[in-house]
Structure formats: C-alpha cells, structure tokens
Amino acid sequence: NAGVTQTPKFQVLKTGQSMTLQCAQDMNHNSMYWYRQDPGMGLRLIYYSASEGTTDKGEVPNGYNVSRLNKREFSLRLESAAPSQTSVYFCASSEKGWGDGYTFGSGTRLTVV
Amino acid sequence: AQSVTQLGSHVSVSEGALVLLRCNYSSSVPPYLFWYVQYPNQGLQLLLKYTSAATLVKGINGFEAEFKKSETSFHLTKPSAHMSDAAEYFCAVSDPGTNAGKSTFGDGTTLTVKP
C-alpha cells in the first residue's frame, strides 16, 4: 500500500521561482491537507480540502495556492518563492476528517535561496 | 479556538524507564485528541487517538494515553522505554464538527533514550 505519495522529496529554488508540490493518496480518503513544519513550531496548516471540489485556507495560506484535481490528488503551488518558505512540507489525508487521524506523506524538503 | 501545549520540548529517559510526555489542550467542545510520532526524515505516524469513547486509549508500540477532562490533559505514557522509541512526538487536537476535521498540532517533544 502506497498511502500518501509526495513529489519531489527535495527541491532548491531561487527567490521568485515557482513550483508545484504534488500529493496523491490511494486510500479513497475524502479530506486532504497541506502542512509546513519548521523547527520548534510544530506543524501549521496551509490549506485543506474537505472533499473533492472544495478547498479552504488554513493558518498560513499567504504565498500559496492549491488545487484539488480529483479525489486522489491535491497539489500545492508556490507562485513566487521566498526564503521564508524554506520548510518541510507535508501532505496528509483523512477518510472522514473527524476522529480519523491523518495519514501523512514522507514530506518535501524545500530550500529557497 | 483549539490549541495544544506540549510541556517540555526535550525529554530524556534511560532505557527501561517510564516515558511520560505531557499534552494539555484547549477546546470549546469535547475534542478529538491524537498523538503522532515522527522518526528522522520521515512523515508523522498516528500512535493513538481519543474520540470520546474510553478515556484510556491504547496505541501502537506499547504507548497509551489517558484523557482527563478535569485537567484538560492527554499525556502519553509507556511503561518501559526502548531505544527505538527515540523520536519526536506531537500531540494534536481537532474539534468535532470542525470543517474537514482540521487538526492543530503542538510544537513537539523530542524523546531521547539513553542506554
């Protein structure tokens, strides 16, 4: 079982460049999430999708956009990368949302120089 | 708004000793609570969850946690630490009925196990 697959695993960008982080799950989960992890700050929610066709802002959405392409895929786009977006990005999914807990991908380590 | 506080960013125990990782939550309604473990360079893995059934919850790898409403706590314990338990642990809270079951995470506690 693949679970949640994130690509790429590592990326270095120059300030101002754009890129899309890809996430796909094969568990038929309804809800999907993007978090960023920074040292000593836990995980902060960027965007989430309660179900196919819907997306909503989380705690730190500025500088990001998302697309719920279908039930399986949820991508995160950085239009103009900034050094403050250097972080580890995690995609997660949940079957129903409430009470399920998340299944996480292995993360994308992004460095913006 | 929901929030989680993990007391102690670093905890060190000897192999075979009791593990106690502390988590206090704030929520306007009875919450759902979770503990996750993260090994180096990996994603988070669900250890256990509380969803208003039994207050003592057992999880994987011998961990358990007790929900105490009066103390707004959900501390994680393991009777005997193993070297393989060394990792970072995150407590998370989710309000039932919150759109999409969004979770708020604590800042994490790094567990070190000494031989």
Side-chain angles (χ1 to χ4, degrees):
Chain A
N1 292 333
V4 178
T5 302
Q6 290 183 239
T7 56
K9 292 189 183 302
F10 301 94
Q11 184 71 48
V12 178
L13 288 180
K14 294 182 179 179
T15 297
Q17 287 185 319
S18 62
M19 78 162 295
T20 300
L21 281 64
Q22 306 287 353
C23 175
Q25 52 91 7
D26 62 0
M27 298 169 286
N28 201 37
H29 284 176
N30 290 305
S31 300
M32 299 185 73
Y33 314 82
W34 277 105
Y35 283 85
R36 59 178 288 173
Q37 183 179 30
D38 301 292
M41 300 183 72
L43 281 78
R44 291 180 292 168
L45 182 63
I46 305 171
Y47 272 93
Y48 65 99
S49 171
S51 60
E52 184 178 357
T54 69
T55 61
D56 286 287
K57 296 179 180 179
E59 179 185 356
V60 289
N62 291 344
Y64 305 95
N65 284 297
V66 291
S67 296
R68 183 76 182 266
L69 305 171
N70 47 57
K71 192 171 185 178
R72 291 186 64 249
E73 300 173 285
F74 188 39
S75 63
L76 178 71
R77 182 161 179 83
L78 287 70
E79 292 291 351
S80 179
S84 61
Q85 295 178 305
T86 294
S87 187
V88 181
Y89 292 85
F90 286 101
C91 178
S93 69
S94 176
E95 183 178 3
K96 299 186 297 292
W98 305 296
D100 284 344
Y102 294 168
T103 300
F104 280 86
S106 58
T108 295
R109 187 172 298 273
L110 175 66
T111 301
V112 183
V113 298
Chain B
Q2 59 197 26
S3 66
V4 164
T5 301
Q6 292 185 238
L7 302 175
S9 58
H10 292 86
V11 170
S12 181
V13 300
S14 297
E15 192 173 18
L18 172 71
V19 175
L20 171 61
L21 304 182
R22 301 178 186 273
C23 173
N24 288 90
Y25 69 90
S26 173
S27 176
S28 58
V29 297
Y32 293 152
L33 293 159
F34 309 88
W35 275 100
Y36 292 85
V37 60
Q38 183 181 32
Y39 299 102
N41 300 313
Q42 295 186 25
L44 283 71
Q45 179 184 3
L46 182 66
L47 270 179
L48 51 79
K49 63 182 181 183
Y50 166 77
T51 57
S52 75
T55 56
L56 182 62
V57 180
K58 295 186 182 298
I60 62 172
N61 302 339
F63 284 93
E64 63 181 36
E66 185 172 9
F67 173 72
K68 292 188 176 180
K69 183 178 178 181
S70 61
E71 299 178 7
T72 60
S73 68
F74 190 58
H75 302 331
L76 182 70
T77 60
K78 182 174 181 178
S80 177
H82 192 272
M83 296 298 290
S84 61
D85 295 326
E88 190 163 19
Y89 293 80
F90 292 91
C91 183
V93 62
S94 177
D95 277 341
T98 305
N99 189 18
K102 294 180 295 179
S103 285
T104 300
F105 287 80
D107 292 342
T109 298
T110 299
L111 175 66
T112 301
V113 182
K114 299 176 292 185

